[in-house]
Amino acid sequence: MNIGFIGTGVMGKGMIGQLLSKGYEVCIHTRTKSKAESLIEAGAEWCNNVADLAEKSDTIITIVGYPYDVKQVYFEENGLLDNVREGMHLIDMTTSTPSLAEEIAKAASEKGAEALDAPVSGGDIGAREGKLSIMVGGSEQAFATVKPIFEAMGTNIVYQGQAGAGQHTKMCNQIAIASNMLGVAEAVVYAEKSGLSPENVLKSISTGAAGSWSLSNLAPRMIGGDFAPGFYIKHFVKDLRIAIEEADRMGLELPGLKLSESIYERLVELGYEDNGTQAVYNFYK
Amino acid sequence: MNIGFIGTGVMGKGMIGQLLSKGYEVCIHTRTKSKAESLIEAGAEWCNNVADLAEKSDTIITIVGYPYDVKQVYFEENGLLDNVREGMHLIDMTTSTPSLAEEIAKAASEKGAEALDAPVSGGDIGAREGKLSIMVGGSEQAFATVKPIFEAMGTNIVYQGQAGAGQHTKMCNQIAIASNMLGVAEAVVYAEKSGLSPENVLKSISTGAAGSWSLSNLAPRMIGGDFAPGFYIKHFVKDLRIAIEEADRMGLELPGLKLSESIYERLVELGYEDNGTQAVYNFYK
């Protein structure tokens, strides 16, 4: 099975590396060819445009920046939906909107193709090590067909339902993280302000009912002043905006999500958009 | 070493059971003798009043309900501080205010005794199994002296600093939990409202960056409609009020904590005070 891949950012690079290492032939296309050079050296084939990429592929994976970019890649003239053939599979792994996932699935099916939405969590390390969590929406049959491809990139692959369900699941993930990040940062600043050793506080609280991935992995970075991006604030804000729009559309009031989003918006205003999400700590300083 | 123990609620019962099983002689006193009967059968000695208890003990542990109860037990006429002898150790394991812990330590030291604040996490199961996390404030020497007693009740025992530091650490624990509970509940209600299977969503998100003790342990109870108390909402509200008071006193603005506290206050108004903290789910319904 030949795979076409669009998007060679930090996530895409790791995922393509995994696909190549597991014997897949991977064609790639990206707006800036220089970004793809290390992958071409590693064995990926370069395509000059989307038509060329589609010609050489049975399945095309996209992982780009924002819903706007997804829309462009799929719907622009000479984009994916202009070049898709009957029986092909299109998989968008960008974190994007559920409604756009539904639109793509509908448009693909009109061409006799199948689209899946399959956003991931696990970050650049998960991508590089093939240990992503992949949340999949679309037809169950299409999922069964491309599952081996997911298994080349991830370890926790769950079919979540019809088109859009993968994106909705990713929103659940971001919603759970959003409020927890406030709790983690507030626990750290309280510890510091009350004169405790925050490292010792983590020893007491990390393994019990307050324990979380963020407390174990990001609180130590807050304490150490390490705000380098694991996950960019600018991308997190994008995700939280999507979650709020979707919640509003469903008539759901989610005050924790709203508060977290407003604080992360404020961090963008303060110039922290290229920091990791743990830089929320600076909101409290 | 003879231990006196005041407070035979669900936590105290488990802790006394552990002390007895490890060979300590334990004298107990509580306002309602009937509550202590199972412990007397298990080998604890009953004392009719605090004076009697203090007479028979080298170290006295208290774990009662609210800071008001702590104040009464220690400062009322014929209370602990009227009966404490030189060289004794008083350990309050209630989650209470840091300032009250400091007051008790000062009053104890005026009598030549030592007081420690040592609140716990790990719930009734942790108490029953001797697997509590114990966060200790007070003099380091006093901590070293009574450490074997803590080791009979817990597995994660950390000295956090001077009097009040144990309570401050517990506040960090509750602050981290407070916002996370909103994230967990909001992820669950979003999953349900968007038509996903919340169980499948948990399979996708529990083990990654959204993962937490609450997501793994309390989200399934929310989904299953099980609101039985692991940790009572009425006690959580007490803790969050203390945390807010302390944060205000230090000039710290903690919006996640404030939001969570206001939502839990609302749940009390709605009649959920005797449910577990996972009943925050009902706020969204």
Side-chain angles (χ1 to χ4, degrees):
Chain A
M1 196 183 278
N2 288 338
I3 299 172
F5 207 107
I6 295 175
T8 53
V10 65
M11 295 299 289
K13 274 210 172 81
M15 294 155 82
I16 293 166
Q18 283 297 316
L19 290 168
L20 290 170
S21 80
K22 280 152 190 168
Y24 284 99
E25 301 206 6
V26 184
C27 306
I28 57 177
H29 172 69
T30 188
R31 280 176 295 196
T32 326
K33 187 175 177 183
S34 63
K35 280 197 182 174
E37 267 161 18
S38 65
L39 292 165
I40 296 168
E41 278 166 34
E45 184 184 345
W46 173 256
C47 298
N48 273 318
N49 53 51
V50 172
D52 186 20
L53 184 91
E55 179 70 32
K56 291 176 176 150
S57 312
D58 311 304
T59 296
I60 296 174
I61 296 172
T62 53
I63 183 160
V64 293
Y66 295 85
Y68 172 84
D69 305 302
V70 176
K71 198 153 194 167
Q72 200 169 32
V73 165
Y74 281 83
F75 290 101
E76 73 182 348
E77 219 181 305
N78 300 318
L80 279 175
L81 287 160
D82 275 354
N83 288 287
V84 72
R85 297 185 313 281
E86 208 172 316
M88 277 179 73
H89 290 83
L90 304 174
I91 309 173
D92 183 33
M93 302 186 79
T94 318
T95 297
S96 170
T97 70
S99 55
L100 181 53
E102 288 172 36
E103 266 180 72
I104 292 171
K106 189 163 168 287
S109 112
E110 285 164 5
K111 305 263 180 160
E114 291 271 15
L116 294 161
D117 50 300
V120 303
S121 77
D124 52 339
I125 297 169
R128 214 155 48 230
E129 297 181 349
K131 292 183 180 163
L132 294 168
S133 174
I134 307 178
M135 315 158 206
V136 190
S139 92
E140 203 155 2
Q141 202 195 324
F143 171 68
T145 307
V146 300
K147 201 173 174 201
I149 297 176
F150 290 138
E151 286 166 345
M153 299 183 286
T155 45
N156 184 23
I157 296 142
V158 185
Y159 176 72
Q160 292 288 354
Q162 294 307 305
Q167 296 298 350
H168 275 310
T169 304
K170 181 67 188 278
M171 289 303 118
C172 295
N173 191 73
Q174 303 306 69
I175 289 166
I177 292 173
S179 291
N180 191 32
M181 286 305 297
L182 303 187
V184 168
E186 293 183 8
V188 170
V189 298
Y190 182 103
E192 291 177 342
K193 190 85 174 184
S194 61
L196 299 170
S197 149
E199 291 88 353
N200 281 346
V201 170
L202 291 183
K203 280 183 205 155
S204 278
I205 75 173
S206 287
T207 55
S212 66
W213 186 94
S214 296
L215 192 68
S216 295
N217 290 279
L218 300 181
R221 296 190 206 171
M222 293 178 190
I223 294 165
D226 171 9
F227 302 118
F231 190 63
Y232 282 108
I233 282 182
K234 62 186 173 191
H235 292 154
F236 197 47
V237 166
K238 177 253 301 186
D239 296 354
L240 299 186
R241 283 183 193 156
I242 296 172
I244 286 177
E245 275 169 28
E246 291 293 322
D248 284 350
R249 200 181 49 74
M250 298 187 283
L252 259 188
E253 193 61 54
L254 302 180
L257 171 63
K258 279 214 168 139
L259 175 64
S260 180
E261 197 267 345
S262 71
I263 287 175
Y264 275 102
E265 293 276 7
R266 178 77 189 125
L267 286 159
V268 170
E269 286 167 20
L270 293 170
Y272 290 103
E273 71 266 32
D274 289 321
N275 284 120
T277 51
Q278 73 274 20
V280 67
Y281 170 86
N282 294 295
F283 172 81
Y284 295 92
K285 287 287 150 176
Chain B
M1 199 183 275
N2 288 339
I3 299 172
F5 207 108
I6 295 176
T8 54
V10 66
M11 295 299 290
K13 274 209 171 83
M15 293 155 82
I16 294 165
Q18 283 297 318
L19 290 167
L20 290 170
S21 80
K22 279 151 190 167
Y24 284 98
E25 303 208 3
V26 183
C27 306
I28 58 177
H29 172 70
T30 189
R31 279 175 295 197
T32 326
K33 186 176 177 181
S34 62
K35 282 198 182 174
E37 268 163 17
S38 66
L39 291 164
I40 296 167
E41 279 167 35
E45 185 184 346
W46 173 256
C47 297
N48 274 317
N49 54 51
V50 172
D52 188 18
L53 184 91
E55 179 71 31
K56 290 175 177 153
S57 311
D58 311 302
T59 296
I60 297 174
I61 295 172
T62 52
I63 183 161
V64 294
Y66 295 86
Y68 172 85
D69 305 304
V70 175
K71 197 152 195 168
Q72 199 169 34
V73 166
Y74 281 82
F75 289 101
E76 74 182 348
E77 218 182 305
N78 299 318
L80 278 175
L81 286 160
D82 276 356
N83 287 288
V84 71
R85 299 185 312 280
E86 207 172 318
M88 275 179 76
H89 290 83
L90 304 174
I91 308 172
D92 183 31
M93 301 186 80
T94 318
T95 296
S96 170
T97 70
S99 55
L100 181 53
E102 289 171 35
E103 265 181 74
I104 292 170
K106 189 163 170 286
S109 111
E110 284 163 6
K111 304 265 181 158
E114 291 270 13
L116 294 161
D117 51 301
V120 302
S121 77
D124 53 339
I125 297 169
R128 213 155 50 229
E129 298 181 348
K131 291 183 180 163
L132 293 169
S133 174
I134 307 177
M135 313 157 207
V136 190
S139 91
E140 204 154 2
Q141 199 194 326
F143 171 68
T145 307
V146 300
K147 202 174 174 202
I149 298 175
F150 291 138
E151 286 166 343
M153 299 183 287
T155 46
N156 185 25
I157 297 142
V158 185
Y159 175 72
Q160 293 288 354
Q162 294 306 305
Q167 297 297 350
H168 275 308
T169 303
K170 180 68 187 278
M171 289 302 118
C172 294
N173 190 74
Q174 304 305 70
I175 289 168
I177 292 174
S179 290
N180 191 33
M181 286 305 297
L182 303 187
V184 168
E186 293 185 7
V188 170
V189 298
Y190 181 103
E192 291 177 341
K193 191 86 175 186
S194 59
L196 298 170
S197 148
E199 290 88 353
N200 281 345
V201 170
L202 291 184
K203 279 183 205 156
S204 279
I205 75 173
S206 287
T207 56
S212 66
W213 186 94
S214 296
L215 192 67
S216 295
N217 291 280
L218 300 182
R221 295 190 206 171
M222 293 178 190
I223 295 164
D226 170 9
F227 302 116
F231 190 64
Y232 281 108
I233 283 182
K234 63 187 173 190
H235 291 154
F236 196 46
V237 166
K238 177 253 299 185
D239 296 353
L240 299 186
R241 282 182 194 157
I242 296 172
I244 286 178
E245 276 170 27
E246 291 294 322
D248 285 349
R249 200 182 49 73
M250 298 188 282
L252 259 187
E253 194 61 54
L254 301 179
L257 170 64
K258 278 212 168 141
L259 175 64
S260 179
E261 197 267 346
S262 72
I263 288 174
Y264 275 102
E265 293 276 5
R266 178 75 187 129
L267 286 159
V268 171
E269 285 167 21
L270 293 169
Y272 290 103
E273 71 266 33
D274 288 322
N275 284 120
T277 50
Q278 73 274 21
V280 66
Y281 170 87
N282 295 295
F283 172 81
Y284 295 92
K285 287 288 150 177

